[in-house]
Amino acid sequence: MIRIVKMTFEPELVKDFEKLFDLNKHKIRGFEGCTHLELLQDKNTPNIFFTYSFWNHPDNLEAYRQSELFNTVWTATKKLFCAKPEAWSADQKIILE
């Protein structure tokens, strides 16, 4: 399962978010069932970011979302938003070799 989350930050708080993500990326990536984690930044609007993560099963993502790690990171992240975040869960249909 792929999870994509779009986050729009106050422009002056982008560096705060980048620091927060950098401090926690290995913990998130190491969470049971997470097999991939990327942070993407929009080319034209640099205060918009996306997380792109792969999860073995929806239950793994749900366990992460119920964890203390998620609660701590998301609570700090939410304070930096200037727009409501958006999230999508998707199944990979075609794998290009």
Side-chain angles (χ1 to χ4, degrees), residues 1-43:
M1 183 179 95
I2 298 171
R3 182 74 168 176
I4 303 164
V5 180
K6 177 185 177 188
M7 300 168 288
T8 307
F9 297 98
E10 294 290 351
E12 66 274 10
L13 299 177
V14 165
K15 293 289 183 203
D16 293 342
F17 168 69
E18 290 175 323
K19 182 186 287 185
L20 179 66
F21 185 84
D22 194 53
L23 288 171
N24 290 285
K25 64 187 177 191
H26 296 293
K27 295 176 200 170
I28 298 167
R29 175 57 182 82
F31 201 88
E32 183 178 351
C34 182
T35 61
H36 182 83
L37 176 64
E38 289 182 46
L39 181 64
L40 309 171
Q41 185 176 28
D42 189 89
K43 278 191 155 309

Side-chain angles (χ1 to χ4, degrees), residues 5 9 27 38 45 55 69 81 91:
V5 180
F9 297 98
K27 295 176 200 170
E38 289 182 46
T45 311
W55 296 85
L69 173 60
F81 291 151
D91 291 322

